[in-house]
């Protein structure tokens, strides 16, 4: 298929139909030649479209975008290969031997960047305590050292799955990992924490976000403590992240539940004395820090070659 001046509205149905029969090759204007143009503007070899248009189209139509080849005349050949359908990686649960253990969120650049930013925003003090709910194999804990280099923190992780907890213990031997249903919180013996993490947990079956957040606020946060809540906005498919939260039994994305849960968490925390930030892409992060705390600056400094610790003003304890 060759496209030069056709609008995207004509390309989408043609590619969609061709993908039903298998792999598709598209010859299109080289996106590199139109840098600075928006999609649909005239470029030197036809209608310009940035690479993101083609990656989005591939995802939308359930295909892998293969490495393109450059053609003569300012054009490139793209290939889209239909993704194999298969079960979600968590279809068989969250055990250490299951498909979920293949997922490493820190390999998603937007998650990595925004999660590190969120951790620096909360900025638990040296020697501070971190509670990771639904911690699974503890992969998210690797981000603590990235975000807060050299900072010693006491980590407690909880999950329902014993094999995942064993994997977490192995990867993070200095942590304490407990089999615990988060619906059993508060548990006073756990004490209070400077940072509470709940990534891709709050929409799990049986978890009541409002009840859990109230228990955490009242019983498990220090006065200067903060929370980072993660809500999936993607589905894992054939080795790739496909954009958009799915409601149960819906094939197409529908962000209603995500939007409702994120805004309920944001509103609830804001109304109870927190400053709340909503960031992320494939995982939406709600970060809450006490309203009286100064927003730390230099959140991105950790990515500088000569990384500096985040500069932050003293945190004002909440009454
Ligand atoms: C989707 S995984 C997320 C794992 C990890 N936090 C991440 O973001 O990659 C959800 C985890 O929460 C755990 N979980 C689900 N319901 C739970 C509950 N009621 N109490 C404790 N853990 C729970 C599951 O066992 C699983 O490990």
């Amino acid at each position: 298929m060759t496209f030069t001046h056709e609008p995207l509205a004509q390309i989408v149905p043609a590619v969609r139909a061709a993908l039903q029969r298998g792999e598709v090759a598209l010859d299109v204007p080289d996106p590199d030649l139109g840098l600075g143009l928006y999609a649909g503007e005239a470029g030197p070899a036809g209608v310009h479209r940035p690479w993101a248009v083609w990656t989005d189209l591939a995802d939308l139509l359930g295909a892998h975008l293969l490495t393109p080849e450059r053609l003569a005349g300012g054009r490139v050949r793209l290939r889209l290969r239909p993704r194999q359908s298969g079960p979600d990686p968590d279809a068989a649960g969250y055990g250490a031997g299951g498909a979920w253990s293949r997922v490493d969120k820190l390999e998603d650049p937007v998650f990595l960047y925004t999660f590190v930013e969120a951790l620096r925003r909360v900025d638990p003090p040296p020697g501070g305590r971190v509670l990771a709910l639904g911690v699974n194999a503890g992969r998210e804990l690797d981000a603590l050292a990235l975000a807060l280099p050299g900072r010693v923190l006491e980590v407690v992780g909880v999950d329902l799955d014993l094999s995942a907890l064993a994997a977490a213990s192995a990867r993070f031997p200095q942590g304490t990992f407990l089999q615990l249903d988060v619906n059993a919180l508060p548990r006073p013996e756990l004490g209070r924490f400077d940072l509470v993490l709940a990534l891709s947990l709050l929409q799990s079956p049986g978890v009541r976000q409002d009840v859990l957040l109230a228990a955490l606020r009242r019983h498990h946060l220090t006065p200067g403590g903060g929370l980072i809540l993660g809500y999936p906005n993607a589905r894992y498919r054939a080795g790739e992240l496909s954009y958009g939260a799915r409601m149960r039994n819906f094939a197409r994305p529908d962000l209603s539940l995500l939007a409702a849960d994120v805004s309920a968490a944001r509103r609830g925390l804001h109304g109870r004395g927190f400053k709340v930030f909503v960031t992320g892409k494939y995982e939406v992060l709600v970060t809450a820090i006490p309203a009286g705390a100064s927003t730390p600056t230099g959140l991105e400094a950790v990515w500088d070659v000569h990384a500096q610790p985040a500069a932050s003003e003293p945190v004002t304890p909440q009454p």
Side-chain angles (χ1 to χ4, degrees):
M1 284 184 193
T2 299
F3 297 108
T4 305
H5 298 296
E6 296 77 359
L8 192 63
Q10 200 172 317
I11 297 174
V12 171
V15 175
R16 186 172 180 273
L19 275 170
Q20 321 267 326
R21 298 186 290 276
E23 192 167 310
V24 178
L26 311 180
D27 293 356
V28 299
D30 183 346
D32 289 1
L33 301 184
L35 296 182
L37 298 176
Y38 290 105
E41 290 192 290
V47 170
H48 168 72
R49 293 188 179 90
W51 282 114
V53 167
W54 302 114
T55 54
D56 279 354
L57 180 68
D59 182 36
L60 188 78
L61 298 179
H64 300 284
L65 178 62
L66 307 188
T67 305
E69 60 189 277
R70 200 157 248 148
L71 307 175
R75 305 180 65 81
V76 289
R77 177 161 301 155
L78 311 177
R79 283 202 172 76
L80 271 61
R81 181 178 297 169
R83 290 180 186 139
Q84 297 289 317
S85 56
D88 290 341
D90 56 355
Y94 294 103
W100 182 259
S101 65
R102 295 171 54 202
V103 169
D104 184 355
K105 291 183 176 173
L106 299 187
E107 287 295 323
D108 160 9
V110 182
F111 178 81
L112 176 69
Y113 211 87
T114 50
F115 186 43
V116 163
E117 180 182 68
L119 290 167
R120 287 167 73 79
R121 233 174 212 140
V122 176
D123 198 20
R129 304 187 74 221
V130 178
L131 175 64
L133 302 174
V135 68
N136 197 258
R139 280 199 150 148
E140 61 220 41
L141 301 176
D142 290 347
L144 289 169
L146 287 172
L148 307 161
R151 193 163 303 183
V152 176
L153 297 165
E154 181 193 335
V155 174
V156 177
V158 308
D159 204 287
L160 288 175
D161 192 287
L162 267 182
S163 65
L165 287 166
S169 251
R171 91 180 291 117
F172 212 80
Q174 64 276 40
T176 303
F177 295 94
L178 309 169
Q179 189 183 35
L180 179 72
D181 185 337
V182 295
N183 295 311
L185 295 175
R187 291 282 286 265
E189 69 274 19
L190 290 179
R192 291 186 179 268
F193 296 84
D194 303 284
L195 164 64
V196 176
L197 299 175
L199 301 185
S200 294
L201 166 81
L202 294 169
Q203 296 175 315
S204 301
V207 174
R208 286 266 318 270
Q209 161 167 289
D210 52 346
V211 175
L212 179 54
L213 292 183
L216 292 170
R217 267 192 300 102
R218 291 188 189 127
H219 304 278
H220 288 302
L221 267 189
T222 58
L227 302 110
I228 304 175
L229 315 174
Y231 300 81
N233 189 23
R235 182 163 73 169
Y236 291 88
R237 264 290 168 267
E240 295 184 356
L241 271 172
S242 180
Y243 176 80
R246 267 72 166 181
M247 312 262 277
R248 193 172 293 280
N249 301 327
F250 279 68
R252 300 297 312 153
D254 183 321
L255 276 53
S256 315
L257 198 56
L258 169 76
D261 288 346
V262 167
S263 48
R266 200 200 76 85
R267 205 174 39 246
L269 289 163
H270 188 253
R272 285 167 186 85
F274 288 87
K275 202 161 15 179
V276 185
F277 304 82
V278 181
T279 57
K281 182 178 178 184
Y282 295 118
E283 176 119 356
V284 174
L285 296 177
V286 173
T287 306
I289 60 175
S294 319
T295 306
T297 57
L299 293 175
E300 291 178 287
V302 74
W303 300 113
D304 294 345
V305 179
H306 305 292
Q308 298 295 318
S312 68
E313 300 298 322
V315 172
T316 314
Q318 289 295 101

